[in-house]
Amino acid sequence: MKHWIQAARLRTLPLSVSGIMVGSLYALANPTNDILTPTQVFNWTIFGFAMLTTLGLQILSNFANDYGDGIKGTDNEDRIGPMRAIQSGVITPAAMKKAMIITATLTFISAVLLIYFSFHDKHLWYSLFFLVLGGLAIASAIRYTVGNAAYGYKGFGDVFVFVFFGLVSTLGVNFLYSKQFDWQLVLPAAAIGLLSVGVLNLNNMRDEVSDTKAGKNTLVVKMGGAKAKIYHYCLIITAMVLIVCFAVLQGFHFDQYLFLLAYIPLTKHLITVYKNKDSRALDPELKKVAISTFLLSLLLSLCLIFFFSDIIVNLFLGGR
């Protein structure tokens, strides 16, 4: 059990649910019309199955990454990060393949239930669209490193992460509640996507040497370490700007800018990357960016529904 938990890479899971939190709390803060109340738009069942589906996709992606890189020999003694399950021999390729099938099946069932509880017997075309989208997400999670045409080996992993863990996660779950598309939500959705790509880019910067030797042509391998740093700055800074633009367009009260606290560790991270000369030192930064993204998403979600000055007054002054 310990080895399977390690293979699931729990440190990646908070990052994967960031879009679900923002999209869900945005639905609670913005009812679709004047008739519905926020609680009539938000639904705990949808929220629960959205979380389960997203976590399933992330775990499936982690298993597939372990399997694909393991059988291709990409995970070897040159790799800097923590040793993978197949690489170390604690899990066999056959067992990992079986785990991928089980995880993919459970994730698909969760996605079907999510679609059912969102649309019931209405909006058939919406249901079909999300069913296809769920199938594509599962296939993409597997094909990142598995197979001869694995797109992660061709530098397209960034696109998958941005689309599915940014845009689809945030905008998709919000649509399941509201049954409509809100253009303003594109800003935080894109920001979460960019920060998620930032985590992947860090991973690829850390593994640049070993990936080059193994023929894994990630975007970092293609552009080189120096340009990858500039690319990384652009990802993080653009995400931070997009969130602030979203807050301005939403007309946030001054105390709703509490999410800016998450910019402190992100700024420190950028300074660390700027000064870095040893790719091995980038490994701890993966967790920092992932947790910072989760913290930013959590604070932004709370800022959508709370005036923190009112909470402080109620707590300490009894509402006076």
Side-chain angles (χ1 to χ4, degrees), residues 243-257:
I243 295 291
V244 172
C245 291
F246 172 72
V248 172
L249 289 174
Q250 286 287 302
F252 273 22
H253 192 253
F254 77 93
D255 59 344
Q256 289 178 293
Y257 282 86

Side-chain angles (χ1 to χ4, degrees), residues 18 39 59 61 83 101 124 132 152 199-200 211 214 216 225 241 286:
S18 296
T39 52
I59 293 172
S61 178
M83 189 171 287
I101 295 172
L124 176 61
V132 171
V199 174
L200 176 63
D211 284 346
K216 186 177 183 180
V241 171
L286 288 165

Side-chain angles (χ1 to χ4, degrees), residues 208-222:
E208 181 185 1
V209 174
S210 60
D211 284 346
T212 302
K213 291 180 179 179
K216 186 177 183 180
N217 295 315
T218 63
L219 200 56
V220 172
V221 172
K222 288 184 174 183

Side-chain angles (χ1 to χ4, degrees), residues 3-16 54-70 75 79 84-86 91 96 99-100 103 138 140-146 160-161 165 199-200 203:
H3 298 312
W4 283 110
I5 292 174
Q6 291 172 345
R9 292 158 65 187
L10 299 186
R11 69 176 182 174
T12 65
L13 301 188
L15 176 67
S16 67
T54 301
L55 290 172
L57 283 173
Q58 183 63 64
I59 293 172
L60 175 62
S61 178
N62 292 339
F63 284 168
N65 199 3
D66 198 309
Y67 177 80
D69 285 344
D75 290 338
R79 189 174 180 274
R84 299 274 180 78
I86 291 179
I91 296 176
M96 184 63 78
M100 288 166 54
T103 306
I138 291 172
S140 297
I142 296 172
R143 297 293 292 177
Y144 176 61
T145 57
V146 177
F160 162 76
V161 170
F165 288 100
V199 174
L200 176 63
N203 182 84

Side-chain angles (χ1 to χ4, degrees), residues 34-285:
D34 294 334
I35 298 175
L36 295 176
T37 64
T39 52
Q40 287 175 319
V41 175
F42 182 82
N43 184 297
W44 281 106
T45 303
I46 294 175
F47 180 75
F49 278 107
M51 282 286 192
L52 286 175
T53 303
T54 301
L55 290 172
L57 283 173
Q58 183 63 64
I59 293 172
L60 175 62
S61 178
N62 292 339
F63 284 168
N65 199 3
D66 198 309
Y67 177 80
D69 285 344
I71 63 174
K72 291 177 181 178
T74 306
D75 290 338
N76 51 47
E77 65 277 0
D78 294 323
R79 189 174 180 274
I80 296 172
M83 189 171 287
R84 299 274 180 78
I86 291 179
Q87 176 190 4
S88 62
V90 296
I91 296 176
T92 65
M96 184 63 78
K97 189 174 182 178
K98 186 180 293 185
M100 288 166 54
I101 295 172
I102 294 172
T103 306
T105 302
L106 292 175
T107 301
F108 183 74
I109 292 172
S110 177
V112 170
L113 291 172
L114 171 61
I115 294 168
Y116 171 76
F117 286 115
S118 299
F119 301 117
H120 295 284
D121 57 349
K122 302 176 182 178
H123 308 294
L124 176 61
W125 289 110
Y126 289 163
S127 297
L128 291 175
F129 173 77
F130 275 93
L131 190 63
V132 171
L133 194 62
L136 287 174
I138 291 172
S140 297
I142 296 172
R143 297 293 292 177
Y144 176 61
T145 57
V146 177
N148 295 328
Y151 62 89
Y153 280 70
K154 299 180 179 180
F156 296 113
D158 299 51
V159 177
F160 162 76
V161 170
F162 177 76
V163 171
F164 284 101
F165 288 100
L167 299 182
V168 172
S169 178
T170 310
L171 297 172
V173 75
N174 182 261
F175 191 92
L176 294 177
Y177 295 111
S178 64
K179 314 302 184 290
Q180 68 179 19
F181 180 78
D182 193 319
W183 282 101
Q184 288 192 23
L185 194 58
V186 172
L187 296 175
I192 293 171
L194 291 172
L195 290 169
S196 300
V197 173
V199 174
L200 176 63
N201 188 59
L202 268 178
N203 182 84
N204 293 338
M205 287 169 67
R206 181 199 65 189
D207 295 340
E208 181 185 1
V209 174
S210 60
D211 284 346
T212 302
K213 291 180 179 179
K216 186 177 183 180
N217 295 315
T218 63
L219 200 56
V220 172
V221 172
K222 288 184 174 183
M223 70 173 64
K227 290 182 179 178
K229 272 192 177 185
I230 298 173
Y231 172 58
H232 193 74
Y233 306 148
C234 293
L235 290 172
I236 305 299
I237 294 172
T238 302
M240 294 164 70
V241 171
L242 288 177
I243 295 291
V244 172
C245 291
F246 172 72
V248 172
L249 289 174
Q250 286 287 302
F252 273 22
H253 192 253
F254 77 93
D255 59 344
Q256 289 178 293
Y257 282 86
L258 187 67
F259 65 85
L260 291 175
L261 289 174
Y263 284 21
I264 297 173
L266 287 173
T267 302
K268 289 182 177 179
H269 161 72
L270 289 175
I271 295 172
T272 299
V273 173
Y274 177 77
K275 295 179 178 179
N276 177 261
K277 298 185 184 302
D278 181 4
S279 57
R280 289 174 295 183
L282 293 175
D283 189 61
E285 296 300 310

